[in-house]
Amino acid sequence: MIPVEELTRLCKEVEGECGLYVSVPETGERFVWNENYQVYSASTIKIPVLCLLFQDAEQGRVDLAQKVVVKPENRVGGSGILQSLRPDLEMSIFDLATLMMVMSDNIATNQIIDIVGMERVRDFCKEEGLDSTWIWQKMIHKGPPPADMPEGLIPNATTAADLGVLMEKIAAGTIVSPVSCQKVMQIMAGQRLGRLQALLPTTERLNPYADCLRPPAAGKIVVASKGGSKESAGAVHDTGIFILPDGRRYVMAVCTKTPNKAKAVHLIQQMGLAMYNAMK
């Protein structure tokens, strides 16, 4: 059972705005709080980018094993490891996608955005009913917004509701093929920067090349997640699919716009723990 009172209390303690979406797909149980409040998406936008990449791979538009060298214009700062490696390093598209998720690598992300097409990411979100989620700028964008971007928009945006629905579709194996959704979850289960699972007994980091995503051992939990933050926008988010040893799954998505990042991170961690204690 979703711990509604505790989650409500934690949402109220966030300084600024907090959106929350929690669901247990197998029972239909759901709890939301300010779930349609739109925020700067930060790195959570990398989830639909990854899904579209796998859709393109299914359709033969992309070969995930193909090796590429990152374009100079895609080399930016912020999170990730590629900025510390030599610029002529050749990597497979699959490995770039993995870095995009597990290390939130902005350089890898920008290269993947070029591969799938930014406009096609927007179209993909719209087709999936994620009406408040879009991307108009690459990671660590510098300069003015694109000339064709409508006025008044947050350049890259999402909501807790959209992220929650997106994760439900991944967990159900419906946003792309079931096989590709499994691979998406495997990649996200290797997350090294998550907040929702910080206080949970998570499994060891999973291998994205494994043949399938198996339930965890007793007393453990698998968390396939992706967070994001951008201090200048007050953005501190996280979203995840949680898999228990008996195979049950639940979904959480938290989006905040806050002047107090440290407190928001602490409260997001507490939300993750509260839901786990209620479900285990």
Side-chain angles (χ1 to χ4, degrees):
M1 179 178 293
I2 296 174
V4 172
E5 289 187 10
E6 189 169 4
L7 291 175
T8 299
R9 176 183 64 80
L10 291 168
C11 286
K12 288 180 177 180
E13 289 185 20
V14 174
E15 294 180 24
E17 298 289 343
C18 176
L20 176 65
Y21 183 103
V22 185
S23 71
V24 185
E26 146 180 292
T27 65
E29 192 178 3
R30 180 176 293 130
F31 172 69
V32 295
W33 174 276
N34 202 20
E35 74 280 12
N36 293 315
Y37 182 77
Q38 194 177 47
V39 294
Y40 184 88
S41 58
S43 289
T44 62
I45 198 64
K46 297 170 184 177
I47 307 171
V49 171
L50 182 68
C51 290
L52 177 57
L53 178 69
F54 271 88
Q55 177 179 280
D56 283 356
E58 291 171 2
Q59 297 174 354
R61 298 173 63 111
V62 172
D63 178 3
L64 295 176
Q66 179 187 349
K67 292 192 174 183
V68 298
V69 175
V70 173
K71 299 175 186 176
E73 60 267 28
N74 286 332
R75 301 190 67 83
V76 294
S79 58
I81 190 67
L82 288 180
Q83 61 187 294
S84 300
L85 303 179
R86 69 175 199 268
D88 63 343
L89 180 66
E90 195 175 51
M91 299 187 70
S92 73
I93 293 174
F94 185 91
D95 286 337
L96 285 172
T98 299
L99 285 178
M100 174 175 73
M101 304 307 288
V102 304
M103 296 297 293
S104 204
D105 196 293
N106 290 323
I107 295 175
T109 304
N110 287 346
Q111 188 70 25
I112 297 295
I113 289 171
D114 278 351
I115 290 169
V116 298
M118 190 179 298
E119 183 176 357
R120 291 186 64 244
V121 178
R122 295 197 297 270
D123 290 343
F124 179 78
C125 291
K126 189 177 298 184
E127 290 164 4
E128 293 298 330
L130 311 176
D131 295 331
S132 297
T133 300
W134 54 70
I135 179 171
W136 284 89
Q137 296 177 345
K138 289 183 179 178
M139 302 297 105
I140 317 294
H141 173 81
K142 295 180 180 179
D148 58 341
M149 188 181 86
E151 290 187 19
L153 287 186
I154 300 173
N156 297 351
T158 195
T159 64
D162 275 10
L163 289 176
V165 169
L166 174 60
M167 298 303 261
E168 286 175 343
K169 290 186 173 194
I170 295 170
T174 59
I175 196 163
V176 284
S177 74
V179 171
S180 289
C181 283
Q182 280 286 310
K183 192 60 66 174
V184 166
M185 285 192 289
Q186 280 178 247
I187 291 173
M188 291 197 297
Q191 177 61 243
R192 293 176 179 238
L193 305 172
R195 301 184 178 99
L196 281 169
Q197 65 265 48
L199 304 180
L200 308 187
T202 54
T203 58
E204 294 296 321
R205 193 174 70 88
L206 301 183
N207 181 359
Y209 286 98
D211 56 351
C212 66
L213 180 63
R214 293 184 171 84
K220 295 287 188 176
I221 186 169
V222 169
V223 184
S225 71
K226 184 74 196 81
S229 64
K230 184 175 181 179
E231 291 201 27
S232 62
V236 184
H237 320 315
D238 206 2
T239 184
I241 299 163
F242 299 74
I243 306 172
L244 295 163
D246 60 6
R248 287 179 299 142
R249 298 178 178 186
Y250 60 94
V251 165
M252 290 191 77
V254 190
C255 293
T256 71
K257 183 177 181 180
T258 177
N260 192 335
K261 178 180 177 179
K263 184 175 182 179
V265 168
H266 171 73
L267 291 170
I268 289 171
Q269 292 172 348
Q270 292 297 317
M271 291 177 196
L273 180 61
M275 187 62 188
Y276 172 73
N277 285 335
M279 293 290 297
K280 68 179 181 180

